[in-house]
Amino acid sequence: MITDGILAKGERNDKNWKGTKFKEPYRAATERFRKEVMERPDFDPATLFIWGVYMSKGLL
């Protein structure tokens, strides 16, 4: 449990924080991917998974 800091009571009173919208990131790109890529006969989900793992490792 957080006892100190800006999230101690579960709320932030910062002006910029209240204006932040938490939405699904890259919604249009996700829909396009589902429509144009996932149905292709040459699409391999394992390749996409491995690529994602390498990209996340790069961020860490």
Side-chain angles (χ1 to χ4, degrees):
M1 182 172 168
I2 301 172
T3 57
D4 296 333
I6 58 176
L7 293 176
K9 296 178 183 166
E11 293 183 18
R12 286 185 65 167
N13 296 325
D14 304 4
K15 183 173 91 175
N16 291 335
W17 182 261
K18 292 193 182 294
T20 303
K21 306 283 189 241
F22 294 103
K23 298 180 183 177
E24 178 185 350
Y26 310 109
R27 183 179 208 155
T30 302
E31 289 174 5
R32 182 177 175 202
F33 173 78
R34 287 181 179 142
K35 186 174 90 179
E36 296 180 11
V37 177
M38 289 184 70
E39 296 178 3
R40 289 178 49 159
D42 61 341
F43 172 66
D44 181 13
T47 301
L48 179 63
F49 174 75
I50 293 169
W51 178 82
V53 169
Y54 281 117
M55 293 298 109
S56 62
K57 283 183 177 180
L59 289 173
L60 297 175

